Amino acid sequence: MKKIILLSILLLPSSIFHAQSFTGKPQYQIITKRAGNYLGTIDVELFPAIAPLATRNFDSLVSTQFYDSTAFHRVIPGFMIQGGDPNSRHGARSTWGYGDSTQPCVPAEFSAAKHVRGILSAARDTGINSANSQFFICVAAAPWLDGQYSIYGRVVSGMDVVDTIVMQPRDSVDNPYQKIEMFITYLGENDTLATIPTLISPLNYSYSNTTNRLLKWNAASDDIIYHVQVSTDSTFATTYRNVDVGKNQYLVTGLTMGNTYYWRVKSNNGGDTSNYSVIWNFGVSPTGIQTYTNADPISVTPNPGNGQFTFSGTENDQTIEVFDVTGKNIYTRKISGNSIGIDLREYASGIYFYRVSGKNTVVQQGKLIVD
């Protein structure tokens, strides 16, 4: 029986798929009936940019009216509702959930997407590639399923109907006493573009003496997966981390003292992948400043201060730049001599970041605190 949830994608002939290629997220209407009477409508959209095989499989089955009159044969409050077994059309209730052994299966498409409320995922047997027509909809988060079942869609409206279904009186195998049928039709596509993430922290040009940093960025309401790149190279010719995550943060570990790291993020909303965000960088230093090349450390006094700071140990032809917490350059000055004073008293109290550069080379960067 496709218990804990079934995961199978049918490798059916391409001729029975919808003729169009997906330009976004295909959407479908699931009309439900309880004991033959209308119960409610659930609208879902699928994720071809995350699970293309599962998406095309579901679409092909809808196009042949495969799901019509099949049942939601398994309901577990606080967990999920499951349906889509052809046995549930006219077969004995004892066969519901066991599926049709002649149905072809599709390789698993595990991803970084999370099993949160409203997610639609492929049900499967013990074999990871055993999913076919059966699917389930989460009524609550089920993190133990993450990376074990193929997420390929979500509910966009009608979760109240899902909640009604999951609370139906049921027997010892969680099958509702009254049959709850589904009838699914294709609605169209959601062509919403994925939003480029806005980076939050660590702040650009910041530093820390810890070798672990938690990267954070703003999340858009329809984001499903983020791709994060971390590199010691601003061009990302090589990457230190190259990962997908299912939430808007990522803990990067094992950083090396004395290095500068560059990072960027792009989002995937299930139907589209955004461009990368702007590139930010952060340093790892035991001293609280980031010193590059073989330059002697530059001292900054007083720090914290009232906005007037003196940089000592500088050299001719160096440049000092100051940035606010958004990374905006608010001050730039050419250095002449081994000491220079700057005045930030016109700016609000808070944290700022400085960078001292020589010819095409960053010499040092660090944090300024204006009282």
Side-chain angles (χ1 to χ4, degrees):
M1 183 177 184
K2 308 240 180 210
K3 262 298 192 190
I4 238 171
I5 296 156
L6 226 158
L7 172 143
S8 298
I9 279 179
L10 308 188
L11 295 176
L12 298 178
S14 59
S15 61
I16 68 172
F17 294 148
H18 271 105
Q20 83 279 9
S21 60
F22 299 123
T23 59
K25 292 176 280 189
Q27 297 186 320
Y28 306 84
Q29 181 181 75
I30 305 175
I31 294 176
T32 64
K33 294 182 179 181
R34 178 177 53 198
N37 298 311
Y38 175 76
L39 180 61
T41 298
I42 306 165
D43 290 343
V44 301
E45 64 182 13
L46 304 190
F47 301 153
I50 295 174
L53 297 177
T55 297
R56 292 189 69 82
N57 174 65
F58 186 94
D59 182 74
S60 72
L61 296 175
V62 171
S63 72
T64 60
Q65 300 180 311
F66 174 94
Y67 286 112
D68 292 357
S69 77
T70 62
F72 283 105
H73 65 271
R74 188 167 175 242
V75 300
I76 302 177
F79 183 19
M80 59 88 209
I81 63 174
Q82 180 179 332
D85 181 3
N87 295 344
S88 65
R89 286 197 204 95
H90 309 295
R93 277 181 173 265
S94 61
T95 68
W96 295 9
Y98 285 90
D100 179 354
S101 60
T102 67
Q103 288 182 292
C105 299
V106 173
E109 295 174 289
F110 300 158
S111 70
K114 303 295 185 182
H115 285 84
V116 297
R117 176 173 164 82
I119 278 294
L120 185 154
S121 192
R124 66 169 172 85
D125 281 328
T126 54
I128 64 171
N129 297 319
S130 61
N132 45 48
S133 60
Q134 294 189 50
F135 64 91
F136 62 98
I137 297 172
C138 293
V139 299
W144 62 92
L145 301 181
D146 294 347
Q148 304 295 319
Y149 292 84
S150 298
I151 289 173
Y152 66 99
R154 66 179 164 191
V155 173
V156 293
S157 68
M159 276 303 295
D160 57 329
V161 180
V162 177
D163 291 335
T164 297
I165 293 172
V166 82
M167 295 307 297
Q168 294 303 297
R170 63 197 194 280
D171 61 21
S172 60
V173 293
D174 301 314
N175 190 337
Y177 289 119
Q178 291 184 304
K179 184 178 181 181
I180 300 176
E181 297 174 291
M182 69 181 78
F183 299 84
I184 306 181
T185 56
Y186 172 74
L187 295 176
E189 293 194 43
N190 175 3
D191 293 326
T192 302
L193 299 179
T195 303
I196 299 174
T198 301
L199 307 187
I200 298 176
S201 65
L203 297 173
N204 203 16
Y205 304 111
S206 65
Y207 62 86
S208 173
N209 62 1
T210 177
T211 56
N212 300 332
R213 298 299 287 274
L214 183 62
L215 311 182
K216 293 184 178 181
W217 53 91
N218 282 328
S221 60
D222 67 341
D223 289 345
I224 303 298
I225 291 175
Y226 301 94
H227 187 75
V228 183
Q229 286 191 329
V230 181
S231 178
T232 55
D233 170 16
S234 62
T235 68
F236 293 86
T238 60
T239 52
Y240 179 71
R241 293 287 188 272
N242 200 35
V243 298
D244 285 336
V245 296
K247 55 184 178 181
N248 61 319
Q249 61 182 45
Y250 171 64
L251 179 65
V252 56
T253 60
L255 302 171
T256 302
M257 286 291 176
N259 276 355
T260 298
Y261 292 88
Y262 301 86
W263 64 290
R264 61 185 181 179
V265 184
K266 62 181 177 181
S267 67
N268 182 332
N269 69 3
D272 179 61
T273 300
S274 75
N275 291 326
Y276 276 110
S277 67
V278 297
I279 299 170
W280 275 13
N281 71 75
F282 59 88
V284 183
S285 168
T287 63
I289 60 174
Q290 190 73 26
T291 302
Y292 301 85
T293 68
N294 295 317
D296 294 328
I298 297 169
S299 66
V300 184
T301 58
N303 191 15
N306 66 354
Q308 293 179 299
F309 301 94
T310 299
F311 288 71
S312 301
T314 57
E315 297 179 2
N316 291 334
D317 297 324
Q318 290 180 340
T319 300
I320 183 170
E321 300 170 279
V322 179
F323 306 85
D324 65 16
V325 293
T326 70
K328 178 183 178 181
N329 183 305
I330 63 167
Y331 183 98
T332 300
R333 184 175 176 181
K334 194 78 171 178
I335 297 173
S336 177
N338 61 7
S339 179
I340 184 173
I342 69 171
D343 191 342
L344 302 181
R345 286 179 294 177
E346 66 180 283
Y347 298 100
S349 298
I351 297 174
Y352 297 85
F353 299 93
Y354 72 85
R355 179 171 63 195
V356 178
S357 301
K359 293 182 178 180
N360 303 316
T361 303
V362 175
V363 177
Q364 182 171 302
Q365 61 186 21
K367 178 164 60 177
L368 299 173
I369 301 177
V370 179
D371 290 336

